[in-house]
Amino acid sequence: MNYITVKEAADKWGVSTRRVQFLCSQNRIKGANRLGKSWLIPESAVLPNAKRKDETPTLPMPRKSPFLDMTNLYNKAGCADECAEMLINQPEAHALFEAQIAFRRGEIDKVYERARYFLQAHSGFYAILGGGMLLAQCAIWRGDLFLWKEAKKHICEAPCKDEHDRELVSLAIAIIDSSIYDNKDYPEWFKMGNFEALPGDAHPAAKVFYVKYLYMAAYAIATKQFKLEGVEGLALMRMLPNSIEPMISQAVIDKTVIPEMYLRMSCAVAYYYSGMKDKAIVHIDKAVKLAISDGMYGFLAEYVRHFDELLEQRIALQDENAAIAVKGLYNIYSVGWARLSAQVREKVDVAGRLDAAERQIVKLCAFGYTNREIAAMLYTSESTVSHAITRILNKTGLMNKKEFAFIV
C-alpha cells in the first residue's frame, strides 16, 4: 500500500493540515498510522464527511487563552518539554507553547521566529494574540521601538468575534505596556480585579498581571509619582503580600507552575522593598527552584533589576552555572529594556551607568528611605550611602535624589 503525508493529503482534499491531523487523531481517516510525530495516510483514503452530528467543533487552542504556558497544560516543574510534546497533534498550540517556554528560557531568536510564524499564517484569535505578545517581548529584549509598535498593531488586528474578544485585546495591550511599567491603559474592570470578561482559562495569567498592576500602583505611590487619598509611602507595598499569598496557594493547588513562579517573585519584591528581606528570600528560593528545573533563566533575568546581587546570590546557592547564565541574559535584557522603556515613557535612560549597589540605593531613595535607614538596610555606614548618592548624581546629571524615581 502506498502512503502520503499529511500535507499531501491536505493539498489533495483542499483542507488545512491541521484539519487532517485532527481527523487522524480522532481515527476518522481509515488506515492512517502514526509514525513518530507524523502520520502516514493511505493514498487511496478519502476525506471523511465534513459534517457529523456527533462531531464537536474544535477550538483554535486547547485552552481559551493566549497564555498557554500559564494554564494547567504546564502542571509540573521540570517537565516543560514533555508538556509541549503532548500538544504535538495540535500544531499551533504546540508552536505557541514552545515559543512561550523559549521566552521564559531567554531564547529570544527562537521566540522571534515563532512570533513571525503566527503573524504571517492565518492563525486563530488566541494564537495571534499570543504571537503579538511574544513579538512585543522580543522588542523589549532588543530595545526595538519599531518592533514594539508592530506588535501592538498585530494584536489590535486580531479577528475578534465578540465583545469578550475585544476586552481581551484591550487587556493584551495593557499587559504589554506593563512590561515597561506603563499601567495607564488597563481596562477599568481589570483594575477592580473583575475577570468576568475573560474566559476561565485566562484567569491564572490574569492574576499574575493583576498583581503586577497593584505593584506598579504601590511603586508609584511610594515614589510620589501618584497620590491616593489616605495612602502614602510604602503602606500599599506592605499590604500587597496579604493579597498575593492566597493567590500563590491557589496556584499550587491548581498546578499552574508559571503563575506560581511569577506570583512568588512579585510577593518577594513587595517584601524586599518593604524591608522584610527574610520573607522575600523564602519566595525567591522557591521561585528559583521552579525556574531552574526547566532552565527558565530568562524569567529570572527579568527580576535581577529588582533584587540585584541578592537574586544572583540565591540562584548561585542552588546552581552556580544557572547564576552565570542568568547574569549573561540580564546584561542583554537590561540594555534592551532600558532603551525601549526610555523611548516609550520618556524616562531618563541612565540606569546602565550605575552598578548594582548604586541601583539599589537609587530604588531605596525613590521609596523615601532616609540615608540612615538605607545604611541600616545595606549594613553599611551613613557616610558611605551619602557618598554613593553624590556619585550617582554626578553620573546621571540629576539635580537631587528626589529625581531618582524617574530613572529607568
Side-chain angles (χ1 to χ4, degrees), residues 149-168:
K149 292 180 178 179
E150 182 190 351
K152 284 190 169 185
K153 180 176 181 291
H154 282 300
I155 291 174
C156 290
E157 293 176 349
C160 299
K161 294 181 179 178
D162 51 37
E163 187 61 31
H164 287 305
D165 284 355
R166 285 187 282 275
E167 293 286 6
L168 193 52

Side-chain angles (χ1 to χ4, degrees), residues 218-227 232-233 365-368 405-406:
Y219 181 90
I221 291 171
T223 56
K224 297 182 174 62
Q225 298 179 62
F226 177 74
K227 292 184 179 180
E232 60 182 21
C365 286
F367 285 139
F406 298 96

Side-chain angles (χ1 to χ4, degrees), residues 220-407:
I221 291 171
T223 56
K224 297 182 174 62
Q225 298 179 62
F226 177 74
K227 292 184 179 180
L228 184 63
E229 187 176 353
V231 182
E232 60 182 21
L234 288 164
L236 183 55
M237 187 73 75
R238 293 191 176 108
M239 292 173 61
L240 276 184
N242 295 337
S243 297
I244 304 174
E245 292 279 13
M247 294 186 190
I248 294 173
S249 299
Q250 190 63 51
V252 173
I253 293 172
D254 293 340
K255 295 183 179 180
T256 49
V257 178
I258 299 292
E260 181 187 345
M261 286 164 43
Y262 274 101
L263 290 171
R264 287 193 184 280
M265 276 300 196
S266 296
C267 198
V269 170
Y271 277 134
Y272 184 65
Y273 287 160
S274 300
M276 292 179 273
K277 182 177 177 180
D278 290 343
K279 289 187 176 181
I281 288 175
V282 171
H283 284 296
I284 289 173
D285 287 349
K286 290 181 179 180
V288 167
K289 183 178 180 180
L290 291 173
I292 64 177
S293 67
D294 262 318
M296 296 189 182
Y297 305 143
F299 158 78
L300 294 172
E302 293 182 31
Y303 282 91
V304 171
R305 67 182 302 108
H306 292 288
F307 304 105
D308 292 317
E309 294 179 343
L310 175 62
L311 180 55
E312 294 178 7
Q313 292 167 0
R314 303 312 300 183
I315 297 172
L317 288 174
Q318 296 191 39
D319 188 327
E320 291 186 0
N321 290 329
I324 294 171
V326 169
K327 186 172 184 178
L329 287 172
Y330 174 68
N331 290 336
I332 298 170
Y333 170 78
S334 61
V335 172
W337 187 93
R339 183 187 301 130
L340 182 65
S341 181
Q343 292 179 79
V344 174
R345 295 194 297 153
E346 299 181 351
K347 293 286 186 176
V348 183
D349 184 8
V350 295
R353 306 175 198 171
L354 310 178
D355 60 29
E358 291 168 340
R359 288 196 302 270
Q360 193 170 29
I361 290 174
V362 163
K363 282 181 285 190
L364 294 175
C365 286
F367 285 139
Y369 286 111
T370 66
N371 289 9
R372 178 174 296 181
E373 290 171 330
I374 294 172
M377 294 171 72
L378 301 181
Y379 304 103
T380 187
S381 67
E382 190 172 348
S383 62
T384 298
V385 173
S386 181
H387 288 312
I389 291 173
T390 300
R391 189 168 61 251
I392 293 167
L393 292 172
N394 290 333
K395 283 186 176 182
T396 61
L398 299 177
M399 297 299 294
N400 54 62
K401 65 179 186 179
K402 290 182 180 180
E403 297 181 350
F404 284 177
F406 298 96
I407 292 180

Side-chain angles (χ1 to χ4, degrees), residues 111-169:
V111 175
Y112 179 79
E113 291 175 1
R114 294 289 182 156
R116 284 296 180 201
Y117 161 77
F118 289 117
L119 300 175
Q120 290 172 1
H122 296 290
S123 302
F125 174 72
Y126 294 109
I128 290 177
L129 277 192
M133 297 181 78
L134 287 171
L135 198 66
Q137 295 297 339
C138 292
I140 293 174
W141 279 73
R142 295 180 176 184
D144 190 330
L145 181 61
F146 293 104
L147 190 61
W148 173 263
K149 292 180 178 179
E150 182 190 351
K152 284 190 169 185
K153 180 176 181 291
H154 282 300
I155 291 174
C156 290
E157 293 176 349
C160 299
K161 294 181 179 178
D162 51 37
E163 187 61 31
H164 287 305
D165 284 355
R166 285 187 282 275
E167 293 286 6
L168 193 52
V169 167

